Amino acid sequence: MPRDGTITRKAIMDAAQGLILETGYSAASVDAVIGRAGITKGAFFYHFKSKAELALALVQRDAEADAAHLQNVLDRAEALSRDPLQQLLICIGLYEEETAKLTAPYPGCLYASFIYESQLFDDATMQVVREVFSHWTARIGAKLEAVLRLYPPRLPVELRTLAEMSLALAEGAFILSKVQRDASPLAAQWRHYRNYLELLFSPQLPSPSGDSATEAKRDKLDVAVPAQ
């Protein structure tokens, strides 16, 4: 059977990520990664020149996967509705639905692990982490901006921090899940965020401005909301 280097590389990365989430980056030694992956030291250094190079590869892999997943969720939401508020609520609801299926506490967040030990990483690695957070904030922020054009909020809001709230919520829920040894905080926090956005922007509540022009703009949208 031919040797497939991609299988070994993935085994190394999966072993390293598991160890980092369990013990932290500094405690996840190369020898520990080699032991968990079941490979030789030569195989490790064939794929990665150093632990730092492995760290960069790990965060790049997660960044690409998370960006693709967010795009998929947004695409699904946009296919279900043309209304920006419904798209946003569906998007958050899909994350809630996904995390509600967890049967064990979420293992943690690689980005958070790297941030806690940021002094151990070079700028290239930490720049990937910063870009991940910026990308998420920009995509959710763009949705919020579209919502704001049609739905005046019932309380003053700042779009960037409202978008960043979802990041703070998710990272906090990761911690709660591990501390409480319970998978439920993730879905619960997504649900609260979705409810907050609905209360903040919902057209079903009386508009504080009574703006009939805004109502007319909403009526022009052809909305297909999925059945509850």
Side-chain angles (χ1 to χ4, degrees), residues 47-65:
H47 289 281
F48 300 100
K49 295 178 182 178
S50 65
K51 185 180 172 184
E53 185 177 288
L54 171 60
L56 178 58
L58 285 173
V59 77
Q60 287 174 333
R61 181 177 71 167
D62 267 24
E64 291 170 4

Side-chain angles (χ1 to χ4, degrees), residues 77-78 81-92 143:
E78 289 168 4
S81 177
R82 293 177 59 193
D83 178 78
L85 177 57
Q86 289 302 317
Q87 289 173 358
L88 183 59
L89 296 177
I90 291 167
C91 174
I92 302 304
K143 282 295 175 191

Side-chain angles (χ1 to χ4, degrees), residues 3 6 15 28 51 62 107-108 116 137 144 162 172 176-177 201 210 212:
R3 297 175 63 185
T6 60
K51 185 180 172 184
D62 267 24
Y116 294 148
T137 301
L144 285 166
L162 187 57
L176 283 174
S177 181
F201 294 110
S212 59

Side-chain angles (χ1 to χ4, degrees), residues 33-45:
V33 173
I34 289 169
R36 177 168 292 196
I39 59 168
T40 65
K41 186 166 287 190
F44 178 93
F45 286 107

Side-chain angles (χ1 to χ4, degrees), residues 125-154:
T125 300
M126 295 311 298
Q127 180 60 27
V128 175
V129 176
R130 289 189 288 269
E131 288 172 357
V132 167
F133 282 68
S134 294
H135 177 75
W136 175 278
T137 301
R139 297 305 304 275
I140 299 300
K143 282 295 175 191
L144 285 166
E145 188 175 359
V147 170
L148 192 61
R149 285 197 290 267
L150 289 178
Y151 300 100
R154 302 179 191 287

